[in-house]
PDB file of all heavy atoms in Angstrom:
ATOM      1  N   ILE A 172      -9.111  14.343  -5.804  1.00 96.00           N
ATOM      2  CA  ILE A 172      -8.592  15.676  -5.492  1.00 96.00           C
ATOM      3  C   ILE A 172      -9.020  16.738  -6.500  1.00 96.00           C
ATOM      4  O   ILE A 172      -9.390  16.449  -7.656  1.00 96.00           O
ATOM      5  CB  ILE A 172      -7.043  15.698  -5.423  1.00 96.00           C
ATOM      6  CG1 ILE A 172      -6.432  15.499  -6.842  1.00 96.00           C
ATOM      7  CG2 ILE A 172      -6.493  14.686  -4.479  1.00 96.00           C
ATOM      8  CD1 ILE A 172      -5.052  16.139  -6.957  1.00 96.00           C
ATOM      9  N   LYS A 173      -9.008  17.961  -6.017  1.00 96.00           N
ATOM     10  CA  LYS A 173      -9.040  19.123  -6.908  1.00 96.00           C
ATOM     11  C   LYS A 173      -7.698  19.765  -6.676  1.00 96.00           C
ATOM     12  O   LYS A 173      -7.308  19.986  -5.512  1.00 96.00           O
ATOM     13  CB  LYS A 173     -10.181  20.056  -6.470  1.00 96.00           C
ATOM     14  CG  LYS A 173     -10.316  21.276  -7.317  1.00 96.00           C
ATOM     15  CD  LYS A 173     -11.614  22.014  -6.975  1.00 96.00           C
ATOM     16  CE  LYS A 173     -11.693  23.237  -7.820  1.00 96.00           C
ATOM     17  NZ  LYS A 173     -11.935  24.439  -6.984  1.00 96.00           N
ATOM     18  N   GLY A 174      -6.964  19.989  -7.758  1.00 95.00           N
ATOM     19  CA  GLY A 174      -5.609  20.507  -7.553  1.00 95.00           C
ATOM     20  C   GLY A 174      -5.236  21.590  -8.591  1.00 95.00           C
ATOM     21  O   GLY A 174      -5.770  21.625  -9.689  1.00 95.00           O
ATOM     22  N   LYS A 175      -4.301  22.467  -8.152  1.00 96.00           N
ATOM     23  CA  LYS A 175      -3.778  23.475  -9.079  1.00 96.00           C
ATOM     24  C   LYS A 175      -2.427  22.952  -9.576  1.00 96.00           C
ATOM     25  O   LYS A 175      -1.491  22.808  -8.772  1.00 96.00           O
ATOM     26  CB  LYS A 175      -3.604  24.794  -8.316  1.00 96.00           C
ATOM     27  CG  LYS A 175      -3.370  25.972  -9.232  1.00 96.00           C
ATOM     28  CD  LYS A 175      -3.525  27.264  -8.476  1.00 96.00           C
ATOM     29  CE  LYS A 175      -2.159  27.882  -8.373  1.00 96.00           C
ATOM     30  NZ  LYS A 175      -1.850  28.621  -7.192  1.00 96.00           N
ATOM     31  N   PRO A 176      -2.309  22.705 -10.923  1.00 96.00           N
ATOM     32  CA  PRO A 176      -1.058  22.118 -11.403  1.00 96.00           C
ATOM     33  C   PRO A 176       0.126  23.085 -11.245  1.00 96.00           C
ATOM     34  O   PRO A 176      -0.015  24.261 -11.587  1.00 96.00           O
ATOM     35  CB  PRO A 176      -1.322  21.845 -12.885  1.00 96.00           C
ATOM     36  CG  PRO A 176      -2.779  22.066 -13.098  1.00 96.00           C
ATOM     37  CD  PRO A 176      -3.293  22.903 -11.992  1.00 96.00           C
ATOM     38  N   TYR A 182       0.708  18.918  -8.144  1.00 97.00           N
ATOM     39  CA  TYR A 182      -0.413  19.821  -7.903  1.00 97.00           C
ATOM     40  C   TYR A 182      -0.297  20.407  -6.504  1.00 97.00           C
ATOM     41  O   TYR A 182       0.179  19.726  -5.573  1.00 97.00           O
ATOM     42  CB  TYR A 182      -1.765  19.098  -7.945  1.00 97.00           C
ATOM     43  CG  TYR A 182      -2.071  18.391  -9.228  1.00 97.00           C
ATOM     44  CD1 TYR A 182      -1.651  17.063  -9.410  1.00 97.00           C
ATOM     45  CD2 TYR A 182      -2.830  18.982 -10.214  1.00 97.00           C
ATOM     46  CE1 TYR A 182      -1.976  16.375 -10.569  1.00 97.00           C
ATOM     47  CE2 TYR A 182      -3.181  18.304 -11.349  1.00 97.00           C
ATOM     48  CZ  TYR A 182      -2.718  17.003 -11.544  1.00 97.00           C
ATOM     49  OH  TYR A 182      -3.055  16.322 -12.674  1.00 97.00           O
ATOM     50  N   VAL A 183      -0.810  21.608  -6.325  1.00 97.00           N
ATOM     51  CA  VAL A 183      -1.087  22.102  -4.965  1.00 97.00           C
ATOM     52  C   VAL A 183      -2.566  21.678  -4.717  1.00 97.00           C
ATOM     53  O   VAL A 183      -3.434  21.951  -5.543  1.00 97.00           O
ATOM     54  CB  VAL A 183      -0.959  23.619  -4.896  1.00 97.00           C
ATOM     55  CG1 VAL A 183      -1.498  24.128  -3.559  1.00 97.00           C
ATOM     56  CG2 VAL A 183       0.494  24.037  -5.049  1.00 97.00           C
ATOM     57  N   LEU A 184      -2.765  21.011  -3.580  1.00 97.00           N
ATOM     58  CA  LEU A 184      -4.097  20.496  -3.271  1.00 97.00           C
ATOM     59  C   LEU A 184      -5.045  21.646  -2.979  1.00 97.00           C
ATOM     60  O   LEU A 184      -4.756  22.513  -2.174  1.00 97.00           O
ATOM     61  CB  LEU A 184      -4.020  19.556  -2.076  1.00 97.00           C
ATOM     62  CG  LEU A 184      -5.265  18.755  -1.810  1.00 97.00           C
ATOM     63  CD1 LEU A 184      -5.436  17.605  -2.777  1.00 97.00           C
ATOM     64  CD2 LEU A 184      -5.264  18.216  -0.376  1.00 97.00           C
ATOM     65  N   GLU A 185      -6.193  21.637  -3.650  1.00 97.00           N
ATOM     66  CA  GLU A 185      -7.231  22.622  -3.312  1.00 97.00           C
ATOM     67  C   GLU A 185      -8.343  21.973  -2.501  1.00 97.00           C
ATOM     68  O   GLU A 185      -8.901  22.579  -1.604  1.00 97.00           O
ATOM     69  CB  GLU A 185      -7.786  23.202  -4.617  1.00 97.00           C
ATOM     70  CG  GLU A 185      -6.736  24.093  -5.297  1.00 97.00           C
ATOM     71  CD  GLU A 185      -7.243  24.728  -6.581  1.00 97.00           C
ATOM     72  OE1 GLU A 185      -7.978  24.064  -7.340  1.00 97.00           O
ATOM     73  OE2 GLU A 185      -6.894  25.886  -6.849  1.00 97.00           O
ATOM     74  N   ASP A 186      -8.652  20.712  -2.835  1.00 95.00           N
ATOM     75  CA  ASP A 186      -9.660  20.034  -2.056  1.00 95.00           C
ATOM     76  C   ASP A 186      -9.505  18.523  -2.314  1.00 95.00           C
ATOM     77  O   ASP A 186      -8.872  18.090  -3.311  1.00 95.00           O
ATOM     78  CB  ASP A 186     -11.067  20.486  -2.476  1.00 95.00           C
ATOM     79  CG  ASP A 186     -12.125  20.106  -1.422  1.00 95.00           C
ATOM     80  OD1 ASP A 186     -11.741  19.614  -0.346  1.00 95.00           O
ATOM     81  OD2 ASP A 186     -13.320  20.333  -1.710  1.00 95.00           O
ATOM     82  N   PRO A 197     -14.578  16.052  -8.165  1.00 94.00           N
ATOM     83  CA  PRO A 197     -13.905  17.288  -8.585  1.00 94.00           C
ATOM     84  C   PRO A 197     -12.924  17.091  -9.733  1.00 94.00           C
ATOM     85  O   PRO A 197     -12.463  18.069 -10.335  1.00 94.00           O
ATOM     86  CB  PRO A 197     -13.235  17.791  -7.344  1.00 94.00           C
ATOM     87  CG  PRO A 197     -13.105  16.623  -6.420  1.00 94.00           C
ATOM     88  CD  PRO A 197     -14.208  15.650  -6.795  1.00 94.00           C
ATOM     89  N   SER A 198     -12.507  15.854 -10.003  1.00 95.00           N
ATOM     90  CA  SER A 198     -11.571  15.558 -11.125  1.00 95.00           C
ATOM     91  C   SER A 198     -11.560  14.050 -11.289  1.00 95.00           C
ATOM     92  O   SER A 198     -12.382  13.336 -10.693  1.00 95.00           O
ATOM     93  CB  SER A 198     -10.159  16.045 -10.790  1.00 95.00           C
ATOM     94  OG  SER A 198      -9.569  15.196  -9.826  1.00 95.00           O
ATOM     95  N   ALA A 244       0.130  17.181  -4.212  1.00 98.00           N
ATOM     96  CA  ALA A 244      -0.309  15.898  -4.735  1.00 98.00           C
ATOM     97  C   ALA A 244       0.618  15.609  -5.920  1.00 98.00           C
ATOM     98  O   ALA A 244       0.779  16.440  -6.815  1.00 98.00           O
ATOM     99  CB  ALA A 244      -1.747  15.982  -5.219  1.00 98.00           C
TER     100      ALA A 244
END
Side-chain angles (χ1 to χ4, degrees):
I172 70 153
K173 180 169 178 232
K175 193 167 111 214
Y182 301 87
V183 170
L184 190 76
E185 291 180 321
D186 198 7
S198 73

